[in-house]
Amino acid sequence: VAPGAVVGRGAEIGAGSAIGANSVVAPGVVIGAGARIHVQVSLSHCLIGDRVVIHTGTRIGQDGFGFAPRRKGHVNIPQLGRVLIGDDVEIGANCAIDRGTGSDTVIGDGCRIDNLVQIGHNVVLGLGCIVAGQAGFAGSARLGDFVMVGGQVAVAGHLRIGDGAQIAGQSGVMADIPAGATYGGYPAVPIRDWHRQSVILRRMIRKQGKSR
């Protein structure tokens, strides 16, 4: 445990794990064996598996973005769940993974999450998912196993992404994606359709330019 780190009452840290300087492990957090928690990480309301790596500045277990809108003032919905992180997961710098509202937020074994990724409450990532930087997942989205998500992808809430699906960078996912499919664009469509749309739009622009 490096200088300036804080470990709360009842927290558990497995054998061979390291906690970086100025990190905070809140009361009741459980960290497995062989984990590496880098500098200025905050962990609360979470159970973390073995051999997990969490890079600098990441926040895990804070309240999700949940409230009931009212004209007289919005009412916050209590966030009562946890974040469950499997074994052999690596999470990049400055990510935010919210605790669940009732059910838990889950990151499956072997996932790789890049820097600056936002994962909302109740989101579930299956085994071995890969998420590139600046992607964001709204609450209760569910990804199957070995899904690949490009940079700056936005996934709307309550959607289902099937096993082995791939999503091209900067796509906006607004509907479920079947297993094994490759999607891209905004809104995201099958990748061939997206390429066709791009070609048709380019041709239309060229024709319009010539007509002038």
Side-chain angles (χ1 to χ4, degrees), residues 116-120 131-138 149-150 152-156:
L116 296 167
V117 171
Q118 159 67 21
I119 297 178
V131 180
Q134 298 185 343
F137 302 87
V149 179
Q152 297 184 333
V153 166
V155 178

Side-chain angles (χ1 to χ4, degrees), residues 74-90:
H74 306 316
V75 178
N76 288 336
I77 297 172
Q79 306 290 293
L80 304 176
R82 304 166 297 177
V83 178
L84 307 182
I85 297 176
D87 298 334
D88 302 302
V89 172
E90 184 161 356

Side-chain angles (χ1 to χ4, degrees), residues 193-207:
D193 293 345
W194 181 39
H195 291 325
R196 290 191 187 101
Q197 291 171 4
S198 299
V199 170
I200 292 170
L201 181 60
R202 190 179 302 116
R203 289 174 179 171
M204 291 174 62
I205 293 172
R206 287 176 180 173
K207 288 181 179 179

Side-chain angles (χ1 to χ4, degrees), residues 21-208:
N22 298 320
S23 288
V24 176
V25 180
V29 168
V30 176
I31 300 172
R36 292 292 180 270
I37 311 302
H38 287 258
V39 175
Q40 294 183 339
V41 172
S42 65
L43 305 174
S44 65
H45 306 97
C46 59
L47 306 180
I48 296 172
D50 297 335
R51 300 173 299 279
V52 171
V53 178
I54 302 175
H55 289 279
T56 300
T58 283
R59 314 299 181 191
I60 297 176
Q62 63 283 335
D63 283 358
F65 190 59
F67 58 90
R70 297 177 59 186
R71 291 188 177 181
K72 293 183 178 180
H74 306 316
V75 178
N76 288 336
I77 297 172
Q79 306 290 293
L80 304 176
R82 304 166 297 177
V83 178
L84 307 182
I85 297 176
D87 298 334
D88 302 302
V89 172
E90 184 161 356
I91 301 172
N94 296 316
C95 295
I97 303 178
D98 297 339
R99 66 187 294 203
T101 302
S103 58
D104 298 320
T105 302
V106 179
I107 310 298
D109 293 349
C111 286
R112 295 291 186 272
I113 299 173
D114 197 3
N115 302 334
L116 296 167
V117 171
Q118 159 67 21
I119 297 178
H121 53 208
N122 307 331
V123 169
V124 175
L125 270 61
L127 304 176
C129 292
I130 297 175
V131 180
Q134 298 185 343
F137 302 87
S140 300
R142 297 181 68 92
L143 280 65
D145 298 338
F146 303 103
V147 173
M148 299 181 68
V149 179
Q152 297 184 333
V153 166
V155 178
H158 301 274
L159 298 184
R160 300 294 182 266
I161 313 299
D163 294 346
Q166 299 183 14
I167 306 171
Q170 294 191 327
S171 297
V173 181
M174 302 173 67
D176 293 349
I177 294 178
T182 301
Y183 273 51
Y186 189 90
V189 295
I191 197 76
R192 290 185 178 180
D193 293 345
W194 181 39
H195 291 325
R196 290 191 187 101
Q197 291 171 4
S198 299
V199 170
I200 292 170
L201 181 60
R202 190 179 302 116
R203 289 174 179 171
M204 291 174 62
I205 293 172
R206 287 176 180 173
K207 288 181 179 179
Q208 188 176 26

